[in-house]
C-alpha cells in the first residue's frame, strides 16, 4: 500500500469511524473526537499537569442547529498536594492521558429514538482535568512539583472557544453535568447564562451533583472537611456565588448545592437518586467512619443491609428531600427527578436516560421529564417512593 492509499484510508476512517459497528456488534455508537483549546494559554487555563484543556463537540442539525447542550464531565476531586499530584498523572488531571474519542450516549446521543428532545442539538462534552469542579484559580510550585488549579479559567477558555463556533448566537441552551460535573453546573449556571443572547432560552441540569452537607454515621462532617481542604488549596472561594458567600457565616459552604441553590437565577433541574451510591459510600459511610467495616456487605449489595442500616439510609433520603423542600414547593420554573435507585449518574447512560427498561416515576422516564421541563410541556417535579418500592431501578450495588 502506497502513502497516498494510506492517507485516503486515514481520511475515510476519520469521517466514518464514529458510526462504525464496534467489536461487540453494537449499532449507533457515536464516537466524537477531542478538541484541544489552543487559546487556553492566553488565559493561563491549564489542566493540573499543565496540559491544554479540551472538549468534544458534535454538531447539531436541522431544527437544532442553533441549540446547544454543554455537559461537564465528572470524576471526583482532589484536596491535597499528594492526591492532586496523583490525579495530574491520570485522565482526570491531564488531557495527555485521556481517550481522544468519547462515546456520546443518553442525553448526548444524536439518535431521536434514544434522545428525543436533544438529539439534533450541538452537544459538547467538557473534559474534567482540574479536580475542583471547574472552580479553582491557584497554582502550586515547591521547586520540584508544579500543579495548576485553574478550573475557573478552563471553564472560561472553553466557553470563549465555543462562542464563535455558534454558541454565541444560541436560541436554546442547557448546561448540564454528572457527579462532580453536576456540582459544576450549580457553580456555573448563572455565569453560563451571562454569555448568551438575552432572548435565548437558557436552563441548567445537574445529574447526581446534589452533594449533601451531611454528618456521617460517626457524626463527623467528613465531606465538609474534605471540601474545606479543596477550597483552600485550589483558591475556590472567590469564584463561589457572591450572594451566597456574603450571606453565610461560613462562605465555603456555598460549594454545597443546597446552600448555593436559592441564589441561582437561571431555571434549574435536579436529577438525583435519594440513595446516591457515591454519597452513600463517601458522605454517609466513608471508610473513616466504619473502621470495623460493619457496612462492607451493605455497601456491596443493598439486599445485605440489616434493618438498622436501612433505617439510616432512609434517614439520608429524608434529609435530601428536606434540603430540597423549598425548591420543590416554591419554584414553578424549576424541575426535579428524585428516584430511589442505588445509582450515580443517570443522564449519560442510555439504559437509564431513555430506553424500554429505563427507570420510571409515575411511568415517566428521566428523558421525558427533563424534556417536559425544558420545553414547558408539563409540570416536571417527580419524587419516588422510598426503597424498595421502585421495581424499575437499575441498581449499581
Amino acid at each position: 500500500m502506497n502513502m497516498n492509499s494510506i492517507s485516503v484510508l486515514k481520511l475515510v476512517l476519520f469521517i466514518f469511524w464514529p458510526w462504525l459497528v464496534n467489536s461487540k456488534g453494537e449499532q449507533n455508537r457515536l464516537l466524537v473526537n477531542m478538541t484541544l483549546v489552543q487559546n487556553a494559554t492566553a488565559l493561563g487555563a491549564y489542566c493540573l499537569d499543565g496540559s491544554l484543556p479540551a472538549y468534544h463537540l458534535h454538531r447539531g442539525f436541522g431544527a437544532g442547529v442553533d441549540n446547544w447542550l454543554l455537559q461537564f464531565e465528572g470524576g471526583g476531586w482532589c484536596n491535597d498536594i499528594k492526591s492532586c499530584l496523583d490525579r495530574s498523572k491520570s485522565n482526570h488531571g491531564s488531557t495527555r492521558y485521556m481517550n481522544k474519542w468519547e462515546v456520546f450516549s443518553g442525553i448526548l446521543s444524536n439518535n431521536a429514538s434514544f434522545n428525543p428532545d436533544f438529539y439534533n442539538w450541538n452537544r459538547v462534552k467538557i473534559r474534567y482535568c482540574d479536580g475542583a469542579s471547574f472552580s479553582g484559580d491557584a497554582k502550586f510550585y515547591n521547586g520540584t512539583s508544579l500543579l495548576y488549579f485553574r478550573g475557573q479559567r478552563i471553564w472560561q477558555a472553553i466557553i470563549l472557544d465555543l462562542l464563535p463556533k455558534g454558541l454565541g448566537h444560541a436560541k436554546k441552551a442547557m448546561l448540564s453535568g454528572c457527579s462532580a460535573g453536576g456540582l459544576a453546573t450549580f457553580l456555573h449556571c448563572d455565569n453560563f447564562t451571562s454569555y448568551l443572547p438575552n432572548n435565548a432560552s437558557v436552563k441548567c441540569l445537574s445529574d447526581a451533583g446534589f452533594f449533601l452537607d451531611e454528618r456521617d454515621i460517626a457524626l463527623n462532617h467528613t465531606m465538609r472537611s474534605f471540601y474545606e481542604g479543596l477550597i483552600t488549596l485550589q483558591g475556590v472561594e472567590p469564584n463561589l456565588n457572591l450572594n451566597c458567600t456574603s450571606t453565610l457565616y461560613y462562605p465555603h459552604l456555598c460549594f454545597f448545592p443546597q446552600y448555593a441553590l436559592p441564589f441561582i437565577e437561571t431555571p434549574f433541574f435536579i436529577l438525583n437518586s435519594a440513595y446516591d451510591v457515591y454519597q452513600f459510600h463517601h458522605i454517609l459511610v466513608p471508610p473513616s467512619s466504619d473502621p470495623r467495616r460493619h457496612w462492607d456487605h451493605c455497601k456491596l449489595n443493598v439486599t445485605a443491609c440489616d434493618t438498622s442500616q436501612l433505617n439510616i439510609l432512609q434517614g439520608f433520603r429524608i434529609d435530601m428531600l428536606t434540603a430540597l423542600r423549598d425548591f420543590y414547593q416554591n419554584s414553578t420554573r424549576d424541575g426535579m427527578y428524585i428516584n430511589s435507585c442505588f445509582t450515580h449518574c443517570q443522564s449519560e447512560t442510555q439504559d437509564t436516560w431513555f430506553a424500554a427498561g429505563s427507570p420510571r416515576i409515575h411511568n415517566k422516564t428521566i428523558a421525558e421529564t427533563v424534556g417536559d421541563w425544558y420545553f414547558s410541556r408539563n409540570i416536571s417535579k417527580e419524587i419516588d417512593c422510598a426503597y424498595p418500592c421502585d421495581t424499575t431501578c437499575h441498581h449499581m450495588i
Side-chain angles (χ1 to χ4, degrees):
M1 184 180 290
N2 61 35
M3 292 304 296
N4 288 336
S5 298
I6 293 173
S7 297
V8 171
L9 179 59
K10 286 182 177 179
L11 179 61
V12 170
L13 284 173
F14 178 81
I15 294 172
F16 292 103
W17 176 249
W19 291 276
L20 292 178
V21 176
N22 68 16
S23 60
K24 295 181 180 178
E26 295 169 338
Q27 301 276 348
N28 302 307
R29 188 171 184 261
L30 176 62
L31 292 170
V32 181
N33 199 17
M34 175 186 285
T35 299
L36 291 174
V37 184
Q38 300 295 340
N39 293 331
T41 54
L43 291 176
Y46 303 105
C47 297
L48 284 170
D49 71 332
S51 59
L52 291 174
Y55 60 84
H56 303 252
L57 165 62
H58 193 256
R59 287 289 186 176
F61 56 93
V65 71
D66 291 321
N67 303 335
W68 287 75
L69 169 65
L70 275 62
Q71 179 87 348
F72 284 119
E73 182 181 28
W77 311 270
C78 62
N79 74 334
D80 56 35
I81 295 302
K82 183 185 182 305
S83 62
C84 290
L85 277 173
D86 290 344
R87 190 181 182 92
S88 72
K89 301 168 187 175
S90 76
N91 63 313
H92 286 311
S94 171
T95 49
R96 295 186 180 101
Y97 299 101
M98 292 179 181
N99 291 327
K100 301 307 183 281
W101 295 86
E102 185 73 2
V103 176
F104 274 29
S105 63
I107 196 171
L108 295 174
S109 172
N110 67 331
N111 188 321
S113 298
F114 300 151
N115 188 25
D117 285 309
F118 308 107
Y119 71 97
N120 60 356
W121 287 30
N122 298 282
R123 286 150 290 107
V124 181
K125 183 70 170 285
I126 301 176
R127 299 308 297 266
Y128 183 32
C129 65
D130 64 276
S133 290
F134 300 87
S135 64
D137 193 5
K139 186 170 72 172
F140 170 82
Y141 182 63
N142 64 358
T144 303
S145 299
L146 173 63
L147 288 170
Y148 291 93
F149 303 121
R150 297 289 176 79
Q152 182 72 21
R153 301 191 196 194
I154 290 172
W155 158 246
Q156 293 169 347
I158 288 176
I159 288 293
L160 293 177
D161 202 62
L162 291 171
L163 287 175
K165 295 182 178 181
L167 179 63
H169 54 76
K171 294 180 179 178
K172 294 181 175 65
M174 184 160 68
L175 181 66
S176 183
C178 161
S179 191
L183 175 56
T185 307
F186 286 99
L187 300 177
H188 294 298
C189 181
D190 285 341
N191 182 246
F192 178 60
T193 300
S194 71
Y195 282 105
L196 301 183
N198 291 332
N199 61 349
S201 173
V202 186
K203 301 184 179 183
C204 300
L205 161 67
S206 171
D207 176 9
F210 195 76
F211 296 97
L212 281 182
D213 179 24
E214 180 90 344
R215 291 182 184 270
D216 62 31
I217 58 170
L219 303 182
N220 297 317
H221 278 294
T222 298
M223 201 64 183
R224 184 187 292 189
S225 297
F226 180 91
Y227 278 164
E228 285 176 359
L230 179 156
I231 290 164
T232 301
L233 176 68
Q234 299 214 30
V236 170
E237 189 172 314
N239 299 320
L240 299 176
N241 187 297
L242 293 178
N243 292 325
C244 180
T245 57
S246 63
T247 301
L248 296 186
Y249 184 76
Y250 297 108
H252 59 268
L253 290 177
C254 294
F255 198 72
F256 281 100
Q258 68 200 79
Y259 304 115
L261 184 59
F263 300 97
I264 296 175
E265 298 178 358
T266 305
F268 211 99
F269 191 102
I270 296 175
L271 164 62
N272 230 94
S273 166
Y275 308 95
D276 182 274
V277 170
Y278 181 90
Q279 298 196 55
F280 172 18
H281 289 185
H282 298 278
I283 296 180
L284 184 62
V285 193
S288 60
S289 71
D290 185 31
R292 297 185 179 181
R293 303 175 67 174
H294 293 309
W295 282 76
D296 278 11
H297 294 299
C298 179
K299 282 183 172 183
L300 291 173
N301 183 353
V302 65
T303 62
C305 301
D306 62 31
T307 301
S308 174
Q309 291 168 331
L310 284 174
N311 287 338
I312 290 171
L313 288 166
Q314 301 296 15
F316 185 84
R317 172 182 178 270
I318 291 170
D319 290 346
M320 179 174 287
L321 296 180
T322 299
L324 287 167
R325 182 179 295 147
D326 288 344
F327 180 79
Y328 176 78
Q329 293 180 344
N330 299 329
S331 173
T332 57
R333 64 176 191 180
D334 300 313
M336 63 190 298
Y337 194 100
I338 310 297
N339 59 10
S340 294
C341 308
F342 283 82
T343 189
H344 183 67
C345 289
Q346 301 177 86
S347 63
E348 296 177 343
T349 305
Q350 195 59 58
D351 61 353
T352 50
W353 173 248
F354 189 70
S358 292
R360 283 170 165 75
I361 304 178
H362 302 135
N363 205 33
K364 288 186 67 175
T365 64
I366 294 168
E368 290 168 329
T369 309
V370 171
D372 283 351
W373 162 75
Y374 185 91
F375 293 99
S376 302
R377 294 189 296 241
N378 206 341
I379 296 174
S380 300
K381 292 185 177 180
E382 303 288 350
I383 298 178
D384 210 352
C385 50
Y387 173 84
C389 74
D390 190 338
T391 59
T392 69
C393 281
H394 292 225
H395 295 304
M396 291 175 61
I397 60 172

